[in-house]
Amino acid sequence: MPHDARTPVDFWFDPACPWAWLTSRWILEVARLRPVEPRWHVMSLTVLNEGRGDLSEQQRKGQAMRLEAVRICVAAEQKYGSQVLGDLYTELGTRFHHEEAPRERATYEAALAAAGLDPALAGAAWSDEFDEALRASHKDGVDRVGTEVGTPIIAVGDAAFFGPVVSPAPRGEAAVRLWDGVLAVAGTDGFFELKRSRTRAPIAT
């Protein structure tokens, strides 16, 4: 099948979120097995949680740190185009969620270099220069599903949804089976929610 015949799958992610990471690895597995093409966009849990009065001081500090990686993603997108986001997300996510590398400049520079990008973009982590573009991308995703969500947000045609939240990321036929089920549910008129309590932590894959 020619490349332009693949179905676009828009995926909004916060690179610091381990649950979004698992869903992104699932989407890549689906793309290996089905004619779909992930298109990557940034969102931010920090922006999503703005105005919430029930966060502890420690949680607020953690939210501020979450902005660092997503700002770097926006800076890279602004310089090179959105096509670099997938590889950069993979490099950042591998370091965050597999290697448990510290969220510091050296880690960001290593991820940028591994993705073939300018390591100096790591400086964007502590700048608000790209926050307007970040908020615009975030709004684009959240406007499709509402604010009672997290990351990731996925849109396929007119259907958009938060999740799925899954651990570990399904592989092979299991990945495709989940994809078909999610599309069936998301495409059902009037469907809003399907949820159960999480019984395990994110299992990096």
Side-chain angles (χ1 to χ4, degrees):
M1 178 175 292
H3 182 80
D4 59 3
R6 298 173 73 85
T7 300
V9 177
D10 291 291
F11 191 107
W12 281 263
F13 67 94
D14 183 327
C17 178
W19 295 102
W21 171 253
L22 293 178
T23 308
S24 73
R25 300 310 95 179
W26 164 68
I27 281 292
L28 289 176
E29 179 73 355
V30 173
R32 188 177 68 83
L33 300 169
R34 287 288 179 85
V36 303
E37 183 68 25
R39 301 191 302 195
W40 306 97
H41 313 273
V42 296
M43 64 179 295
S44 168
L45 288 173
T46 301
V47 173
L48 193 68
N49 288 325
E50 282 179 343
R52 285 185 55 185
D54 57 344
L55 295 178
S56 68
E57 185 61 28
Q58 183 177 4
Q59 287 174 320
R60 292 185 189 284
K61 289 181 180 178
Q63 292 292 333
M65 184 176 289
R66 282 181 180 273
L67 276 175
E68 294 177 3
V70 74
R71 282 170 164 170
I72 291 168
C73 288
V74 178
E77 181 180 22
Q78 294 280 305
K79 182 170 183 175
Y80 295 100
S82 60
Q83 71 276 3
V84 305
L85 284 178
D87 287 344
L88 179 55
Y89 184 22
T90 291
E91 296 299 337
L92 286 167
T94 298
R95 286 161 177 77
F96 292 169
H97 309 302
H98 289 268
E99 301 172 5
E100 298 183 356
R103 312 295 173 88
E104 61 185 23
R105 189 179 191 106
T107 300
Y108 304 148
E109 289 178 343
L112 285 159
L117 309 176
D118 183 1
L121 291 173
W126 303 279
S127 168
D128 61 4
E129 178 182 355
F130 300 99
D131 284 7
E132 183 177 350
L134 164 58
R135 288 177 179 276
S137 179
H138 176 93
K139 185 177 186 299
D140 185 23
V142 170
D143 280 353
R144 300 167 190 246
V145 293
T147 57
E148 297 178 3
V149 299
T151 177
I153 292 168
I154 295 175
V156 186
D158 293 332
F161 49 90
F162 157 59
V165 177
V166 61
S167 177
R171 301 291 182 181
E173 184 56 35
V176 172
R177 188 166 56 246
L178 177 59
W179 174 249
D180 291 339
V182 166
L183 287 187
V185 168
T188 299
D189 182 53
F191 178 84
F192 297 109
E193 188 170 358
L194 179 68
K195 188 174 182 178
R196 60 184 175 188
S197 297
R198 301 178 194 179
T199 59
R200 65 178 64 158
I203 301 172
T205 61

